[in-house]
Amino acid sequence: QEQKVDYLFESSLFVIGDSIQLIAQLIEPGRRERHIWVGNFLRDKREILTVQNEVAQSIANELNAKIGQEERQRLEKFPTLNLTAYDFYQKAREELWEYRLDKKKTDMLKSSEYHYRQALLFDPQYAEAYSGLANIYWEKNFIHSYLSNSFIDSSFFFANKALKLDDQLAEAYKVRGDYYMETGKPELAIQEFSQAIKINPNCWEAYAAMGFLYEFKDAVIALSN
């Protein structure tokens, strides 16, 4: 019987002139933490996006993980090759979560939307930035008018736009699931949440939404989610 082990991943990034150095390690937690893998990557600044994939590939090889074709394609995929767009996206994502942790910080929501749109100015094909906008408009529903048609439709529009560019975005499927859940289409919502979990088994928001959907239908399924 296979034993499931959860590992800890730690990394440090240093900027050295026009270069970056990434030191990463994989640790098996316990009373005596054991280092499973350590990697040291020295690259040009412009390679910061590609080095992330190198790390993922190295760890998978170290653990002898079986990587299917779909997983390999996701590892080799770059959401954007434009570093400016990537910077704006990361800033927007950070601000969105800051707002979610404290809903009084509406200025963070506005700033997040601005930075997502800036990311799209530099890379109009940046699927994850469209997915971010879908989340922005969903959050706006709860500020201006609870689930008003204009905002909820905008959220659905941006989620679809994101998935048209990249059909492997768990976040976008989660937003579409929310849309179907709130428009009285639970079966479609379940399909979307299930797809989000299939793509990203760590998508806790999709599990939470599934639990909510099954709350009065099947307590066992609700609790398992």
Side-chain angles (χ1 to χ4, degrees):
Q1 184 177 2
E2 293 185 3
Q3 182 180 6
K4 182 180 178 181
V5 179
D6 291 322
Y7 298 102
L8 297 176
F9 176 78
E10 295 179 352
S11 65
S12 299
L13 181 69
F14 304 94
V15 179
I16 310 165
D18 291 328
S19 301
I20 56 167
Q21 182 181 21
L22 176 68
I23 301 174
Q25 55 186 351
L26 197 66
I27 302 169
E28 184 177 347
R31 284 184 297 178
R32 294 183 179 180
E33 293 188 342
R34 185 167 66 96
H35 286 74
I36 304 298
W37 169 88
V38 178
N40 192 336
F41 302 83
L42 184 63
R43 298 288 186 274
D44 185 277
K45 270 185 183 178
R46 292 167 294 183
E47 299 180 79
I48 190 170
L49 299 178
T50 59
V51 75
Q52 295 180 56
N53 289 18
E54 285 187 57
V55 171
Q57 294 271 16
S58 298
I59 291 174
N61 292 335
E62 182 67 28
L63 297 177
N64 295 317
K66 294 180 180 179
I67 303 176
Q69 185 62 27
E70 288 186 8
E71 288 83 0
R72 187 169 297 281
Q73 287 176 353
R74 284 200 286 272
L75 281 176
E76 295 172 351
K77 180 187 68 178
F78 302 107
T80 181
L81 294 177
N82 187 302
L83 284 177
T84 304
Y86 181 74
D87 284 342
F88 277 124
Y89 171 80
Q90 291 294 343
K91 181 67 174 174
R93 190 171 178 82
E94 179 182 338
E95 290 169 335
L96 177 58
W97 275 106
E98 188 170 344
Y99 165 76
R100 283 175 166 172
L101 291 171
D102 184 354
K103 295 297 180 73
K104 294 179 181 178
K105 295 182 177 180
T106 54
D107 57 321
M108 286 292 100
L109 189 63
K110 293 177 182 177
S111 183
S112 178
E113 179 178 0
Y114 169 77
H115 286 120
Y116 276 131
R117 292 189 181 279
Q118 287 297 112
L120 288 167
L121 281 178
F122 285 90
D123 184 356
Q125 304 300 308
Y126 200 166
E128 291 184 352
Y130 282 113
S131 183
L133 281 178
N135 277 304
I136 290 290
Y137 275 85
W138 191 264
E139 295 291 349
K140 279 186 173 183
N141 291 329
F142 297 92
I143 296 178
H144 299 288
S145 177
Y146 177 70
L147 297 177
S148 64
N149 288 335
S150 59
F151 283 119
I152 196 171
D153 288 344
S154 295
S155 183
F156 189 65
F157 168 82
F158 283 119
N160 284 334
K161 180 82 173 177
L163 290 171
K164 187 175 182 180
L165 292 167
D166 182 354
D167 64 357
Q168 296 297 306
L169 289 180
E171 184 179 50
Y173 284 110
K174 163 61 172 57
V175 173
R176 287 210 315 197
D178 288 336
Y179 174 85
Y180 287 130
M181 182 167 63
E182 295 297 342
T183 53
K185 300 172 183 174
E187 297 306 318
L188 289 176
I190 289 171
Q191 290 178 24
E192 299 293 324
F193 294 142
S194 298
Q195 184 64 16
I197 292 168
K198 179 182 177 183
I199 293 170
N200 178 14
N202 295 317
C203 187
W204 64 269
E205 294 167 296
Y207 287 114
M210 290 274 274
F212 178 79
L213 269 175
Y214 278 102
E215 185 176 4
F216 299 107
K217 288 184 177 181
D218 191 315
V220 174
I221 295 178
L223 280 171
S224 66
N225 278 281

